[in-house]
Amino acid sequence: MKLHEYQAKGRFRAFGLPTPRGIVATSLEEVRAAYDELEGDLAVVKAQIHAGGRGKAGGVKLVRSADEAVEAAESILGKPLITKQNGPDGTVVRTLLVEEGLPIDKEYYVAITLDRQLELPVLMASAEGGTEIEEVAEENPDAILTEVVDPVTGLAAFRARRITYALGVPKPLARKFAATLQALCKVFLEDDASMVEVNPLVTTTDERVICLDGKVVLDDSALFRHKDLVELRDVHEEDPTEVRAKEAGLSYVNLDGNIGCLVNGAGLAMATMDIIKLHGGEPANFLDVGGSASTEQVTTAFKIILDDPAVKGILVNIFGGIMRCDIVAQGVVDATKALGLECPLVVRLHGTNMEEGRKILAESGLSITAATDMRDAASKIVEAVS
Amino acid sequence: MSILVGKDTRLITQGITGEYGRMHTLACREYGTNVVAGCTPGRSGVDVEGIPVYDTVSEAREKTGANATMIFVPAAFAADAVEEAAEAGIQLIVCITEGIPALDEARMTRSVTAAGARMIGPNCPGVISPGENCKVGIMPGFIHTPGKIGVVSRSGTLTYEAVWQLSELGLGQSTCVGIGGDPVIGTTHIDTLAMFQEDDGTEAILMMGEIGGTAEEEASQFVKDHVTKPVVGFVAGRTAPPGKRMGHAGAIIAGGKGTAAEKMEAMRAAGIAVAESPADLGSTMAEALAAKA
């Protein structure tokens, strides 16, 4: 689950980390009031959306008066902001963060994430703050320094010092900088984040260390123990169909094609998409009904697939292990009848109770095309929709 | 011969009194696995169809000489269950549970390593050695046949698909290992490849990966350097869009890295025979064996 910048900074402050003074605004009046309350000569108006690349897309504006602040807000608020990360339609900006401007001296990049190879969290930092880390990684990988974070005790003090000195942080600020790194690791561990990124973490000419930006992604699997953080969820940022699927215990991702897929197991679901493409078709979605779906879940899965107007046919591919093929077959028959399904439907059932399952389909009187294996299934559905 | 589980396996189930724990424990026993006990805190004294239940893993181990455990404990408590098993001296820990917090996984993996134990999973179907009638997991036993192909995979049902294709072609399996779909797992492709290379009962290896991370690339390099047996590979998710999690917590193309194309290329560069289509998992293996003969 992604947090907005203002929410991430709220978490930072909860752990004693310094952030710029800032006020959240959702209307032009609030933006004006926020500018006045900050009482500085310079402020920044920042669009609060999850996608990165806001600055380059015009979602972050420096302003020097209340009028300028309102003008900037007018150009962003309520309008879609299209960055290179959020697709052709962009995301409508509903919230702004108005922050004080700061006398920045140097900018650094800092992030904590789980290293899959080490199977441990790592802190990554570079003195090239403000630039996207993917660019730095590509052009100058040696500029990225890393230290391992202990998953229980956090970032060891000596590691925090070592990376601080290696980044060339000015001596008078080194202690503060190292402490900031340790505190960011604490946010990562205690909030069960899968990523904490500060880009940039800045030092100022008046010798402060401040988290100028903030990005936090929480581990969905750990939300059960962070009830307070669940409330920070912004459903406007999520695909409504994916939300519905998740609530029904299904895993769904929308794609561009026209062949809907209903599969059990993530690996088999991906392989089913792949084989449709290999046979010249285009999958409309990824959908994993899980290991033990009920008849109701199968019906919900069908509804979700059919919500996509692009769908011209459906392929059901089930390899029964825990899941019994007869239960799936009954679910398919019930859903087909209840929804009055009209598009071509190809069903491939294999594994536990497959004979019973195939019998239910054959005796249903519905126009369901049975397939013997994955190749047969893919070629039949591709032919049916073309 | 086989790896990880076999005739010497003495299995306990942690979470045996739950619906799935019970169902799968009985299915394992029916397949031939020597199930010696179960463990559910607070439920000692009861038995599950003749299988004694203990409060703690250490007691279960002392009383029964258990050397392997299968874990069905809910995600919130699974890390604790894994650490309990490792601390009690259980050598093989098969963690079926899905949805464990990633940091719990990092912590428990470290505990397992420190105790000198081995963990399979989490979020995996388990391990099966058909020739030794030993199943420690949730896979349907009947699709497997005894033989000499070692199978290692990050997924569940896709592995069943592969096993079925192999069995249809008369290619039985020595051991099938589902290593799990999470970003942090106890046993990797490389660990499993090394065991298959050493195992006299394994003649060739089918390795199945999916998008996300770089485990397949590292495994390919390992194959090139250390594996002399024929290896067939497959990678699921060539049509997956970047930045989207495809069901498994670990299946995500992040920052342009972890694509199926990169993984398949690494496999080919290591001399692995790559099955382009998931319908060709068995036939690619048959061809690889024929080429070797």
Side-chain angles (χ1 to χ4, degrees):
Chain A
M1 185 183 104
K2 286 182 182 170
L3 300 191
H4 285 297
E5 176 194 2
Y6 76 92
Q7 296 168 328
K9 284 175 169 169
R11 297 311 303 152
F12 292 173
R13 284 192 293 276
F15 285 82
L17 281 156
T19 63
R21 286 190 304 127
I23 296 162
V24 175
T26 53
S27 68
L28 300 181
E29 297 73 40
E30 285 177 11
V31 169
R32 181 177 291 280
Y35 183 90
D36 291 338
E37 197 180 326
L38 288 172
E39 288 184 333
D41 301 328
L42 182 67
V44 192
V45 176
K46 306 177 88 174
Q48 299 297 292
I49 60 169
H50 286 166
R54 292 172 299 164
K56 278 183 189 149
V60 177
K61 294 203 153 91
L62 281 174
V63 294
R64 289 185 160 75
S65 70
D67 286 343
E68 267 185 47
V70 171
E71 200 180 310
E74 233 171 348
S75 71
I76 307 171
L77 198 60
K79 300 187 170 67
L81 184 64
I82 302 163
T83 83
K84 63 174 194 177
Q85 282 186 14
N86 63 2
D89 299 333
T91 312
V92 173
V93 180
R94 294 163 191 276
T95 308
L96 298 172
L97 177 62
V98 186
E99 279 191 340
E100 62 173 339
L102 292 169
I104 296 165
D105 181 25
K106 282 203 169 114
E107 302 189 7
Y108 302 88
Y109 173 91
V110 176
I112 304 128
T113 174
L114 194 69
D115 183 304
R116 294 172 66 148
Q117 211 174 339
L118 293 172
E119 306 197 318
L120 287 171
V122 291
L123 174 83
M124 297 184 292
S126 119
E128 297 181 31
T131 321
E132 277 177 57
I133 195 67
E134 285 84 6
E135 276 174 39
V136 181
E138 203 150 292
E139 286 158 22
N140 190 9
D142 293 340
I144 302 171
L145 308 171
T146 61
E147 288 285 352
V148 165
V149 179
D150 187 288
V152 178
T153 58
L155 181 68
F158 78 90
R159 293 185 187 274
R161 289 197 299 273
R162 183 160 67 193
I163 202 162
T164 298
Y165 295 137
L167 287 169
V169 174
K171 279 274 155 66
L173 284 170
R175 191 183 288 263
K176 252 186 231 172
F177 195 93
T180 301
L181 298 182
Q182 285 185 293
L184 285 168
C185 291
K186 209 169 170 190
V187 176
F188 182 87
L189 296 183
E190 292 194 11
D191 278 358
D192 273 301
S194 49
M195 187 179 68
V196 169
E197 185 184 73
V198 185
N199 189 20
L201 174 66
V202 302
T203 54
T204 61
T205 52
D206 55 356
E207 302 206 327
R208 290 184 289 161
V209 177
I210 294 179
C211 303
L212 199 67
D213 199 357
K215 188 184 267 183
V216 170
V217 183
L218 301 173
D219 178 1
D220 291 332
S221 296
L223 288 175
F224 69 85
R225 59 188 177 205
H226 297 285
K227 298 276 188 276
D228 52 330
L229 301 181
V230 175
E231 287 167 20
L232 302 178
R233 179 169 170 197
D234 182 356
V235 288
H236 295 301
E237 288 272 358
E238 296 173 40
D239 179 312
T241 314
E242 288 174 24
V243 173
R244 240 178 83 205
K246 201 187 277 181
E247 280 163 5
L250 308 165
S251 181
Y252 172 91
V253 177
N254 188 253
L255 302 169
D256 295 332
N258 58 8
I259 298 175
C261 310
L262 191 161
V263 189
N264 67 326
L268 191 62
M270 281 188 272
T272 303
M273 287 155 43
D274 295 349
I275 198 168
I276 287 171
K277 178 95 176 173
L278 281 171
H279 284 257
E282 290 289 341
N285 66 277
F286 166 93
L287 193 151
D288 172 11
V289 288
S292 53
S294 61
T295 308
E296 293 77 39
Q297 273 175 309
V298 173
T299 308
T300 311
F302 266 97
K303 280 188 192 154
I304 285 168
I305 291 170
L306 290 169
D307 264 0
D308 180 352
V311 170
K312 296 278 181 288
I314 298 176
L315 172 56
V316 175
N317 184 19
I318 300 291
F319 205 110
I322 312 173
M323 182 179 272
R324 285 163 41 194
C325 289
D326 52 331
I327 303 254
V328 177
Q330 196 55 55
V332 169
V333 169
D334 290 353
T336 308
K337 284 180 180 162
L339 303 172
L341 189 73
E342 284 171 2
C343 68
L345 172 62
V346 174
V347 180
R348 184 268 180 142
L349 296 175
H350 210 99
T352 310
N353 291 4
M354 59 188 181
E355 298 307 335
E356 292 89 330
R358 289 171 186 172
K359 203 167 155 221
I360 290 170
L361 294 182
E363 291 173 358
S364 69
L366 298 166
S367 66
I368 297 170
T369 309
T372 52
D373 57 28
M374 278 183 82
R375 189 191 313 280
D376 187 38
S379 59
K380 278 180 175 157
I381 191 67
V382 170
E383 198 192 313
V385 301
S386 61
Chain B
M1 282 295 288
S2 60
I3 64 168
L4 293 164
V5 303
K7 296 228 179 297
D8 298 332
T9 298
R10 296 177 65 78
L11 184 70
I12 63 164
T13 297
Q14 285 170 264
I16 192 170
T17 50
E19 186 191 344
Y20 283 107
R22 178 192 172 93
M23 173 174 106
H24 289 294
T25 302
L26 296 176
C28 288
R29 184 170 72 175
E30 196 174 314
Y31 190 77
T33 311
N34 184 10
V35 181
V36 296
C39 175
T40 300
R43 299 295 299 276
S44 63
V46 305
D47 74 275
V48 172
E49 310 237 344
I51 302 166
V53 178
Y54 298 93
D55 286 326
T56 67
V57 176
S58 11
E59 194 188 355
R61 180 168 180 261
E62 276 161 30
K63 298 269 171 65
T64 65
N67 57 15
T69 179
M70 177 165 72
I71 297 180
F72 287 93
V73 173
F77 314 106
D80 187 59
V82 167
E83 294 192 325
E84 181 183 3
E87 207 267 346
I90 301 288
Q91 287 117 10
L92 181 70
I93 300 165
V94 178
C95 186
I96 308 295
T97 308
E98 179 179 359
I100 302 175
L103 284 169
D104 283 6
E105 293 180 344
R107 290 169 192 136
M108 74 194 202
T109 305
R110 196 167 64 165
S111 302
V112 169
T113 309
R118 169 170 296 289
M119 178 170 68
I120 308 292
N123 188 14
C124 75
V127 188
I128 184 168
S129 297
E132 311 223 356
N133 295 320
C134 188
K135 163 171 125 93
V136 179
I138 60 174
M139 63 288 279
F142 73 90
I143 58 170
H144 300 80
T145 47
K148 295 192 161 182
I149 310 294
V151 178
V152 54
S153 168
R154 274 166 73 180
S155 85
T157 48
L158 180 58
T159 314
Y160 311 162
E161 172 74 36
V163 166
W164 172 71
Q165 288 183 23
L166 290 170
S167 291
E168 283 286 293
L169 293 169
L171 300 170
Q173 306 87 43
S174 54
T175 302
C176 304
V177 188
I179 58 175
D182 280 358
V184 178
I185 50 175
T187 296
T188 63
H189 274 118
I190 292 181
D191 299 330
T192 316
L193 288 166
M195 286 185 268
F196 279 139
Q197 171 67 19
E198 290 301 309
D199 176 41
D200 292 338
T202 300
E203 206 170 86
I205 305 160
L206 172 59
M207 170 170 94
M208 289 188 290
E210 61 191 33
I211 55 159
T214 53
E216 289 79 3
E217 285 88 332
E218 290 137 28
S220 299
Q221 187 60 45
F222 181 85
V223 167
K224 196 174 179 182
D225 297 341
H226 302 287
V227 179
T228 55
K229 298 174 181 179
V231 181
V232 169
F234 177 75
V235 181
R238 57 203 285 172
T239 49
K244 286 281 188 182
R245 215 168 279 285
M246 307 302 279
H248 286 154
I252 181 166
I253 298 168
K257 294 285 171 199
T259 64
E262 287 172 319
K263 292 170 187 297
M264 290 162 86
E265 190 45 49
M267 284 180 174
R268 281 192 203 97
I272 296 171
V274 177
E276 290 282 336
S277 165
D280 295 334
L281 301 168
S283 58
T284 308
M285 177 56 80
E287 284 160 22
L289 287 170
K292 185 200 164 205

mmCIF file of all heavy atoms in Angstrom, chain B residues 27-59:
data_model
loop_
_atom_site.group_PDB
_atom_site.id
_atom_site.type_symbol
_atom_site.label_atom_id
_atom_site.label_comp_id
_atom_site.label_asym_id
_atom_site.label_seq_id
_atom_site.Cartn_x
_atom_site.Cartn_y
_atom_site.Cartn_z
ATOM 1 N N ALA B 27 -3.926 -36.362 4.042
ATOM 2 C CA ALA B 27 -3.604 -36.682 2.646
ATOM 3 C C ALA B 27 -2.141 -37.126 2.520
ATOM 4 O O ALA B 27 -1.816 -38.025 1.740
ATOM 5 C CB ALA B 27 -3.883 -35.478 1.755
ATOM 6 N N CYS B 28 -1.253 -36.506 3.286
ATOM 7 C CA CYS B 28 0.166 -36.892 3.267
ATOM 8 C C CYS B 28 0.324 -38.313 3.804
ATOM 9 O O CYS B 28 1.055 -39.128 3.251
ATOM 10 C CB CYS B 28 1.010 -35.926 4.093
ATOM 11 S SG CYS B 28 1.205 -34.307 3.331
ATOM 12 N N ARG B 29 -0.382 -38.591 4.892
ATOM 13 C CA ARG B 29 -0.274 -39.915 5.490
ATOM 14 C C ARG B 29 -0.810 -40.968 4.511
ATOM 15 O O ARG B 29 -0.223 -42.036 4.349
ATOM 16 C CB ARG B 29 -1.049 -39.966 6.807
ATOM 17 C CG ARG B 29 -0.885 -41.310 7.518
ATOM 18 C CD ARG B 29 -1.425 -41.294 8.907
ATOM 19 N NE ARG B 29 -2.888 -41.270 8.918
ATOM 20 C CZ ARG B 29 -3.615 -41.354 10.045
ATOM 21 N NH1 ARG B 29 -3.012 -41.462 11.220
ATOM 22 N NH2 ARG B 29 -4.926 -41.325 9.991
ATOM 23 N N GLU B 30 -1.906 -40.642 3.851
ATOM 24 C CA GLU B 30 -2.488 -41.566 2.889
ATOM 25 C C GLU B 30 -1.517 -41.850 1.735
ATOM 26 O O GLU B 30 -1.461 -42.955 1.205
ATOM 27 C CB GLU B 30 -3.781 -40.957 2.348
ATOM 28 C CG GLU B 30 -4.669 -41.941 1.637
ATOM 29 C CD GLU B 30 -5.991 -41.282 1.270
ATOM 30 O OE1 GLU B 30 -6.579 -40.597 2.144
ATOM 31 O OE2 GLU B 30 -6.413 -41.440 0.122
ATOM 32 N N TYR B 31 -0.735 -40.840 1.367
ATOM 33 C CA TYR B 31 0.235 -41.003 0.277
ATOM 34 C C TYR B 31 1.398 -41.906 0.694
ATOM 35 O O TYR B 31 2.087 -42.469 -0.156
ATOM 36 C CB TYR B 31 0.763 -39.622 -0.136
ATOM 37 C CG TYR B 31 1.590 -39.642 -1.404
ATOM 38 C CD1 TYR B 31 0.981 -39.738 -2.653
ATOM 39 C CD2 TYR B 31 2.987 -39.573 -1.356
ATOM 40 C CE1 TYR B 31 1.726 -39.755 -3.818
ATOM 41 C CE2 TYR B 31 3.741 -39.598 -2.521
ATOM 42 C CZ TYR B 31 3.101 -39.688 -3.754
ATOM 43 O OH TYR B 31 3.842 -39.716 -4.910
ATOM 44 N N GLY B 32 1.589 -42.016 2.009
ATOM 45 C CA GLY B 32 2.655 -42.894 2.485
ATOM 46 C C GLY B 32 3.640 -42.232 3.433
ATOM 47 O O GLY B 32 4.544 -42.877 3.966
ATOM 48 N N THR B 33 3.484 -40.941 3.644
ATOM 49 C CA THR B 33 4.393 -40.201 4.526
ATOM 50 C C THR B 33 4.252 -40.683 5.970
ATOM 51 O O THR B 33 3.144 -40.932 6.443
ATOM 52 C CB THR B 33 4.068 -38.689 4.477
ATOM 53 O OG1 THR B 33 3.985 -38.287 3.115
ATOM 54 C CG2 THR B 33 5.123 -37.864 5.200
ATOM 55 N N ASN B 34 5.375 -40.801 6.648
ATOM 56 C CA ASN B 34 5.362 -41.190 8.049
ATOM 57 C C ASN B 34 5.073 -39.960 8.920
ATOM 58 O O ASN B 34 5.972 -39.217 9.284
ATOM 59 C CB ASN B 34 6.720 -41.815 8.416
ATOM 60 C CG ASN B 34 6.744 -42.337 9.839
ATOM 61 O OD1 ASN B 34 5.712 -42.419 10.508
ATOM 62 N ND2 ASN B 34 7.930 -42.673 10.318
ATOM 63 N N VAL B 35 3.792 -39.745 9.210
ATOM 64 C CA VAL B 35 3.379 -38.602 10.031
ATOM 65 C C VAL B 35 3.381 -39.060 11.490
ATOM 66 O O VAL B 35 2.621 -39.952 11.857
ATOM 67 C CB VAL B 35 1.974 -38.100 9.643
ATOM 68 C CG1 VAL B 35 1.589 -36.901 10.495
ATOM 69 C CG2 VAL B 35 1.912 -37.746 8.169
ATOM 70 N N VAL B 36 4.262 -38.461 12.313
ATOM 71 C CA VAL B 36 4.415 -38.955 13.681
ATOM 72 C C VAL B 36 3.665 -38.137 14.729
ATOM 73 O O VAL B 36 3.367 -38.629 15.812
ATOM 74 C CB VAL B 36 5.906 -39.075 14.077
ATOM 75 C CG1 VAL B 36 6.599 -40.121 13.206
ATOM 76 C CG2 VAL B 36 6.623 -37.718 13.978
ATOM 77 N N ALA B 37 3.383 -36.864 14.423
ATOM 78 C CA ALA B 37 2.707 -36.038 15.431
ATOM 79 C C ALA B 37 2.192 -34.747 14.824
ATOM 80 O O ALA B 37 2.477 -34.424 13.670
ATOM 81 C CB ALA B 37 3.656 -35.707 16.585
ATOM 82 N N GLY B 38 1.432 -34.025 15.668
ATOM 83 C CA GLY B 38 0.988 -32.702 15.288
ATOM 84 C C GLY B 38 1.255 -31.759 16.439
ATOM 85 O O GLY B 38 1.520 -32.210 17.561
ATOM 86 N N CYS B 39 1.218 -30.459 16.164
ATOM 87 C CA CYS B 39 1.466 -29.497 17.228
ATOM 88 C C CYS B 39 0.490 -28.336 17.096
ATOM 89 O O CYS B 39 0.392 -27.718 16.037
ATOM 90 C CB CYS B 39 2.908 -29.009 17.135
ATOM 91 S SG CYS B 39 3.286 -27.714 18.314
ATOM 92 N N THR B 40 -0.284 -28.099 18.140
ATOM 93 C CA THR B 40 -1.120 -26.906 18.229
ATOM 94 C C THR B 40 -1.080 -26.480 19.692
ATOM 95 O O THR B 40 -1.437 -27.273 20.569
ATOM 96 C CB THR B 40 -2.585 -27.195 17.831
ATOM 97 O OG1 THR B 40 -2.635 -27.665 16.480
ATOM 98 C CG2 THR B 40 -3.439 -25.940 17.933
ATOM 99 N N PRO B 41 -0.607 -25.246 19.982
ATOM 100 C CA PRO B 41 -0.520 -24.820 21.377
ATOM 101 C C PRO B 41 -1.878 -24.922 22.080
ATOM 102 O O PRO B 41 -2.890 -24.476 21.540
ATOM 103 C CB PRO B 41 -0.060 -23.357 21.271
ATOM 104 C CG PRO B 41 0.611 -23.265 19.937
ATOM 105 C CD PRO B 41 -0.111 -24.235 19.057
ATOM 106 N N GLY B 42 -1.876 -25.560 23.248
ATOM 107 C CA GLY B 42 -3.103 -25.670 24.025
ATOM 108 C C GLY B 42 -3.967 -26.863 23.684
ATOM 109 O O GLY B 42 -5.022 -27.060 24.275
ATOM 110 N N ARG B 43 -3.544 -27.648 22.699
ATOM 111 C CA ARG B 43 -4.391 -28.769 22.273
ATOM 112 C C ARG B 43 -3.763 -30.145 22.556
ATOM 113 O O ARG B 43 -4.160 -31.137 21.965
ATOM 114 C CB ARG B 43 -4.722 -28.660 20.785
ATOM 115 C CG ARG B 43 -5.501 -27.407 20.387
ATOM 116 C CD ARG B 43 -6.906 -27.357 20.988
ATOM 117 N NE ARG B 43 -7.745 -28.467 20.568
ATOM 118 C CZ ARG B 43 -8.426 -28.497 19.433
ATOM 119 N NH1 ARG B 43 -8.374 -27.492 18.607
ATOM 120 N NH2 ARG B 43 -9.164 -29.540 19.132
ATOM 121 N N SER B 44 -2.755 -30.185 23.443
ATOM 122 C CA SER B 44 -2.127 -31.473 23.715
ATOM 123 C C SER B 44 -3.145 -32.443 24.295
ATOM 124 O O SER B 44 -4.100 -32.029 24.950
ATOM 125 C CB SER B 44 -0.960 -31.299 24.685
ATOM 126 O OG SER B 44 -1.428 -30.829 25.921
ATOM 127 N N GLY B 45 -2.923 -33.718 24.032
ATOM 128 C CA GLY B 45 -3.833 -34.730 24.574
ATOM 129 C C GLY B 45 -4.853 -35.190 23.561
ATOM 130 O O GLY B 45 -5.272 -36.329 23.588
ATOM 131 N N VAL B 46 -5.258 -34.310 22.629
ATOM 132 C CA VAL B 46 -6.201 -34.767 21.612
ATOM 133 C C VAL B 46 -5.417 -35.524 20.535
ATOM 134 O O VAL B 46 -4.186 -35.489 20.504
ATOM 135 C CB VAL B 46 -6.983 -33.603 20.946
ATOM 136 C CG1 VAL B 46 -7.681 -32.765 21.990
ATOM 137 C CG2 VAL B 46 -6.071 -32.748 20.089
ATOM 138 N N ASP B 47 -6.113 -36.240 19.681
ATOM 139 C CA ASP B 47 -5.414 -36.825 18.539
ATOM 140 C C ASP B 47 -6.234 -36.611 17.291
ATOM 141 O O ASP B 47 -7.460 -36.455 17.336
ATOM 142 C CB ASP B 47 -5.102 -38.313 18.780
ATOM 143 C CG ASP B 47 -6.340 -39.172 18.670
ATOM 144 O OD1 ASP B 47 -7.060 -39.292 19.690
ATOM 145 O OD2 ASP B 47 -6.596 -39.696 17.572
ATOM 146 N N VAL B 48 -5.546 -36.518 16.150
ATOM 147 C CA VAL B 48 -6.207 -36.316 14.868
ATOM 148 C C VAL B 48 -6.126 -37.640 14.119
ATOM 149 O O VAL B 48 -5.072 -37.993 13.608
ATOM 150 C CB VAL B 48 -5.527 -35.177 14.083
ATOM 151 C CG1 VAL B 48 -6.088 -35.095 12.674
ATOM 152 C CG2 VAL B 48 -5.719 -33.846 14.799
ATOM 153 N N GLU B 49 -7.227 -38.382 14.122
ATOM 154 C CA GLU B 49 -7.273 -39.708 13.484
ATOM 155 C C GLU B 49 -6.052 -40.552 13.859
ATOM 156 O O GLU B 49 -5.383 -41.106 12.984
ATOM 157 C CB GLU B 49 -7.375 -39.556 11.961
ATOM 158 C CG GLU B 49 -8.483 -38.600 11.558
ATOM 159 C CD GLU B 49 -9.510 -39.228 10.627
ATOM 160 O OE1 GLU B 49 -9.231 -40.276 10.052
ATOM 161 O OE2 GLU B 49 -10.598 -38.640 10.502
ATOM 162 N N GLY B 50 -5.765 -40.558 15.145
ATOM 163 C CA GLY B 50 -4.666 -41.394 15.624
ATOM 164 C C GLY B 50 -3.309 -40.702 15.672
ATOM 165 O O GLY B 50 -2.336 -41.258 16.168
ATOM 166 N N ILE B 51 -3.228 -39.463 15.173
ATOM 167 C CA ILE B 51 -1.961 -38.726 15.228
ATOM 168 C C ILE B 51 -1.956 -37.891 16.521
ATOM 169 O O ILE B 51 -2.828 -37.045 16.715
ATOM 170 C CB ILE B 51 -1.806 -37.792 14.007
ATOM 171 C CG1 ILE B 51 -1.873 -38.601 12.696
ATOM 172 C CG2 ILE B 51 -0.499 -37.005 14.097
ATOM 173 C CD1 ILE B 51 -2.073 -37.744 11.459
ATOM 174 N N PRO B 52 -0.968 -38.127 17.411
ATOM 175 C CA PRO B 52 -0.966 -37.409 18.685
ATOM 176 C C PRO B 52 -0.615 -35.924 18.509
ATOM 177 O O PRO B 52 0.209 -35.575 17.670
ATOM 178 C CB PRO B 52 0.119 -38.122 19.493
ATOM 179 C CG PRO B 52 1.025 -38.729 18.478
ATOM 180 C CD PRO B 52 0.156 -39.078 17.297
ATOM 181 N N VAL B 53 -1.282 -35.077 19.304
ATOM 182 C CA VAL B 53 -1.040 -33.635 19.227
ATOM 183 C C VAL B 53 -0.327 -33.171 20.492
ATOM 184 O O VAL B 53 -0.684 -33.580 21.605
ATOM 185 C CB VAL B 53 -2.373 -32.863 19.049
ATOM 186 C CG1 VAL B 53 -2.135 -31.355 19.023
ATOM 187 C CG2 VAL B 53 -3.078 -33.310 17.776
ATOM 188 N N TYR B 54 0.697 -32.321 20.325
ATOM 189 C CA TYR B 54 1.456 -31.768 21.457
ATOM 190 C C TYR B 54 1.339 -30.248 21.459
ATOM 191 O O TYR B 54 1.035 -29.624 20.446
ATOM 192 C CB TYR B 54 2.924 -32.189 21.357
ATOM 193 C CG TYR B 54 3.125 -33.692 21.422
ATOM 194 C CD1 TYR B 54 3.173 -34.454 20.259
ATOM 195 C CD2 TYR B 54 3.231 -34.340 22.656
ATOM 196 C CE1 TYR B 54 3.338 -35.828 20.310
ATOM 197 C CE2 TYR B 54 3.390 -35.719 22.721
ATOM 198 C CZ TYR B 54 3.442 -36.463 21.556
ATOM 199 O OH TYR B 54 3.594 -37.813 21.619
ATOM 200 N N ASP B 55 1.634 -29.661 22.644
ATOM 201 C CA ASP B 55 1.564 -28.200 22.777
ATOM 202 C C ASP B 55 2.761 -27.500 22.131
ATOM 203 O O ASP B 55 2.644 -26.391 21.627
ATOM 204 C CB ASP B 55 1.558 -27.800 24.267
ATOM 205 C CG ASP B 55 0.223 -28.084 24.927
ATOM 206 O OD1 ASP B 55 -0.800 -27.954 24.231
ATOM 207 O OD2 ASP B 55 0.213 -28.438 26.115
ATOM 208 N N THR B 56 3.932 -28.148 22.242
ATOM 209 C CA THR B 56 5.152 -27.505 21.741
ATOM 210 C C THR B 56 5.865 -28.436 20.770
ATOM 211 O O THR B 56 5.717 -29.653 20.824
ATOM 212 C CB THR B 56 6.126 -27.175 22.895
ATOM 213 O OG1 THR B 56 6.606 -28.412 23.446
ATOM 214 C CG2 THR B 56 5.462 -26.352 23.987
ATOM 215 N N VAL B 57 6.664 -27.826 19.898
ATOM 216 C CA VAL B 57 7.420 -28.614 18.926
ATOM 217 C C VAL B 57 8.501 -29.424 19.644
ATOM 218 O O VAL B 57 8.760 -30.579 19.285
ATOM 219 C CB VAL B 57 8.032 -27.705 17.840
ATOM 220 C CG1 VAL B 57 8.907 -28.511 16.892
ATOM 221 C CG2 VAL B 57 6.936 -26.990 17.062
ATOM 222 N N SER B 58 9.126 -28.831 20.679
ATOM 223 C CA SER B 58 10.199 -29.583 21.354
ATOM 224 C C SER B 58 9.653 -30.871 21.966
ATOM 225 O O SER B 58 10.299 -31.912 21.898
ATOM 226 C CB SER B 58 10.926 -28.752 22.416
ATOM 227 O OG SER B 58 10.297 -27.575 22.691
ATOM 228 N N GLU B 59 8.454 -30.782 22.551
ATOM 229 C CA GLU B 59 7.880 -31.984 23.138
ATOM 230 C C GLU B 59 7.563 -33.020 22.038
ATOM 231 O O GLU B 59 7.862 -34.211 22.185
ATOM 232 C CB GLU B 59 6.610 -31.642 23.918
ATOM 233 C CG GLU B 59 6.163 -32.764 24.823
ATOM 234 C CD GLU B 59 4.787 -32.518 25.459
ATOM 235 O OE1 GLU B 59 4.225 -31.420 25.266
ATOM 236 O OE2 GLU B 59 4.301 -33.438 26.128
#
